[in-house]
Amino acid sequence: MGLKVYNTITQRKEEFIPLRKGRVGMYVCGVTVYDLCHIGHARSAVVFDVIYRYLKYKGYEVTYVRNFTDVDDKIINRALQEGTSTDEIAEKYIQEFYTDMGALGLQEPTFEPRATEHIPEMIEMIKRLLEKGHAYLVGGDVYYSVESFPEYGKLSKRSLDEMKAGARVEVDERKRNPLDFALWKAAKPEEPSWESPWGRGRPGWHIECSAMSQKYLGETLDIHGGGKDLIFPHHENEIAQSEGATEKPFVRYWLHNGFVNIDREKMSKSLGNILTVKEILKDYHPEVVRLFLISRHYRSPIDFSRQEMEVVRRNLERFYQTLAEINKILDEGVEKIDARGGLSPEEMAIYRRVEEFSHRFEEAMDDDFNTARALAPFFELSRDLNRLLQNPSAHTPFLLRRGRDAFLEAGKILGIFQEDPHVFLEGEKRRRAKDIPLTQKEIENLIKERDKARQQKDWARADEIRERLASHGIVLEDTGEVKLYYGAADTVICLATAHVDDLVRLCLEDSA
């Protein structure tokens, strides 16, 4: 089965056939650089980073374009508030974007155009739209006439009347239709402006993506992507102005990622629940964030919560623990043995699953880049590799090497397992120790007090202490005479009997 993608404009999965065999042109709407990136920006960036990686893995030559909007009302307002220039605001937040997305391991696109560097291309497109009757002048402003494009609404599947009723449109009595949008805005005091045939001014938001995408990818793109919030009006307007200017199909496949909610609520400034990438990376390793963002299908909404992030962190740590154990055995210099003929029935079953791993991974990714389903083989292979580690034989190194190589190759596509396992695990150990708010002495005293309560059959007090420790990321499990103490990442911090003084101290010091 070949690659199939869900096309927003047709609302169905279609076989992916690029315009030019073996080559893909992909344009993804980037950020407006007036503030720090939040988790919603990160989701779109990671989603299309994985798509970019997978297309290259499939053998395509990919030209990937992701833009920066560096002239916009929000940037102008921020510059006025801070008493600085729009250029300085844009440059500051472009650098912040690079810092955040670099930490998340994004690969660099082929081109990263800025709107202000492509004003001539925008002016040329606007001139063509005026000539073809799709645009009209009002003073020094130029507007696109949506009624001049009969197919307007074909992406969002809404009629002009429905869009008028549901959209918040800019009130301007000079417009022929309330949905008409600005291609060029006449200059205003304290705003950046450029010369044009219609006087000094600046471009509207939508025209920049049409002009820049066509400069780098031609008049018809293979893939255009972005968040679902861009379907209307931004992408709808891109279609109208692009196809109005060229009279050719603008995009073959439209891909849109779902929203990120915070604790089941929509993320918005009015609710005060905007979560920036920098804030998240204070608490979580970048690969934990990536794994979280790809743990749902890209078109589905995803809910950010601390509880969900802890589950993802535990899973990633277990994967790295398995890789660390494999590396330890292979680094001992055991010769790679290709002994398939001598494998036991259980080993042969694991060998077959290892060989099938890449096929199962590709099968999931070929189904509209279904990363959620593509993760399932990782968990299954990890269980197999752990069974080999627990019951080694002469053939174990051969199987471990094959399994590890398949694991890491697929991990590259998802952007995970890119760190040395020991470095990752040591970093998580330090992070856990920092996250535990109780002192060593407080933990020791609480454990002693709980033991005493249990001896006195004061079960309510024992449970109360257990719950208090759990609220601080320390989980107790009673297994006969032995107690297991877990940290927040569900890794054993220590083993102890009822006499805990020395062992608890040893465990806490080891995790610091």
Side-chain angles (χ1 to χ4, degrees), residues 240-254:
Q241 63 201 9
S242 299
E243 297 188 359
T246 67
E247 299 180 0
K248 295 178 182 178
F250 176 41
V251 174
R252 294 169 65 81
Y253 304 94
W254 285 95

Side-chain angles (χ1 to χ4, degrees), residues 146-192:
V146 296
E147 292 177 332
S148 74
F149 188 69
E151 293 183 285
Y152 191 76
K154 65 181 178 179
L155 182 66
S156 57
K157 309 304 178 191
R158 289 182 285 184
S159 68
L160 285 177
D161 289 339
E162 288 173 326
M163 286 185 272
K164 284 178 189 176
R168 290 179 293 179
V169 294
E170 183 183 349
V171 177
D172 189 337
E173 293 180 355
R174 301 175 304 161
K175 292 182 181 182
R176 296 176 184 173
N177 185 305
L179 290 171
D180 290 352
F181 55 92
L183 299 170
W184 189 262
K185 298 180 179 182
K188 296 179 182 178
E190 299 184 316
E191 289 190 358

Side-chain angles (χ1 to χ4, degrees), residues 107-121:
Q107 293 188 348
E108 291 184 7
T110 317
F111 300 104
E112 290 183 287
R114 302 185 186 194
T116 57
E117 296 173 349
H118 296 79
I119 303 296
E121 289 85 354

Side-chain angles (χ1 to χ4, degrees), residues 329-353:
I329 287 180
L330 296 181
D331 288 346
E332 288 174 353
V334 180
E335 213 175 294
K336 179 178 177 181
I337 304 171
D338 188 347
R340 281 167 286 182
L343 297 177
S344 69
E346 183 180 2
E347 289 172 332
M348 181 57 73
I350 291 176
Y351 172 76
R352 290 197 184 100
R353 286 194 291 271

Side-chain angles (χ1 to χ4, degrees), residues 316-445:
L316 187 61
E317 188 163 349
R318 289 183 184 122
F319 285 140
Y320 266 111
Q321 286 169 341
T322 300
L323 291 172
E325 289 299 316
I326 292 172
N327 288 346
K328 182 179 177 182
I329 287 180
L330 296 181
D331 288 346
E332 288 174 353
V334 180
E335 213 175 294
K336 179 178 177 181
I337 304 171
D338 188 347
R340 281 167 286 182
L343 297 177
S344 69
E346 183 180 2
E347 289 172 332
M348 181 57 73
I350 291 176
Y351 172 76
R352 290 197 184 100
R353 286 194 291 271
V354 168
E355 294 300 295
E356 291 170 359
F357 172 85
S358 295
H359 171 72
R360 292 187 59 207
F361 175 79
E362 288 186 38
E363 189 176 52
M365 292 295 289
D366 280 345
D367 183 16
D368 192 30
F369 310 106
N370 193 337
T371 54
R373 186 154 69 91
L375 287 171
F378 284 93
F379 286 93
E380 294 165 11
L381 180 57
S382 180
R383 284 195 291 270
D384 281 336
L385 297 177
N386 278 309
R387 278 198 285 271
L388 292 171
L389 289 166
Q390 291 164 9
N391 300 290
S393 73
H395 313 304
T396 295
F398 162 71
L399 292 169
L400 290 178
R401 190 183 299 276
R402 296 287 287 244
R404 184 192 65 178
D405 291 349
F407 210 89
L408 294 180
E409 182 181 25
K412 280 183 185 178
I413 297 166
L414 302 180
I416 52 179
F417 315 128
Q418 301 302 290
E419 193 163 358
D420 178 272
H422 291 293
V423 173
F424 176 87
L425 293 170
E426 284 301 314
E428 288 304 292
K429 190 186 290 185
R430 288 192 296 272
R431 195 189 301 266
R432 274 200 314 278
K434 185 179 69 173
D435 288 345
I436 297 175
L438 299 174
T439 66
Q440 172 185 319
K441 191 65 177 175
E442 287 172 330
I443 296 172
E444 291 177 8
N445 289 339

Side-chain angles (χ1 to χ4, degrees), residues 82-149:
E82 298 188 9
T84 186
S85 69
T86 54
D87 286 346
E88 288 178 344
I89 292 294
E91 190 60 39
K92 173 183 176 181
Y93 289 109
I94 286 173
Q95 295 310 314
E96 294 287 6
F97 175 91
Y98 283 138
T99 299
D100 292 342
M101 299 307 162
L104 291 175
L106 265 64
Q107 293 188 348
E108 291 184 7
T110 317
F111 300 104
E112 290 183 287
R114 302 185 186 194
T116 57
E117 296 173 349
H118 296 79
I119 303 296
E121 289 85 354
M122 298 181 213
I123 289 173
E124 285 303 311
M125 181 170 279
I126 295 169
K127 286 165 66 176
R128 291 170 71 185
L129 290 170
L130 283 165
E131 291 168 2
K132 291 175 179 288
H134 290 293
Y136 57 94
L137 278 164
V138 180
D141 297 330
V142 184
Y143 286 100
Y144 187 95
S145 172
V146 296
E147 292 177 332
S148 74
F149 188 69

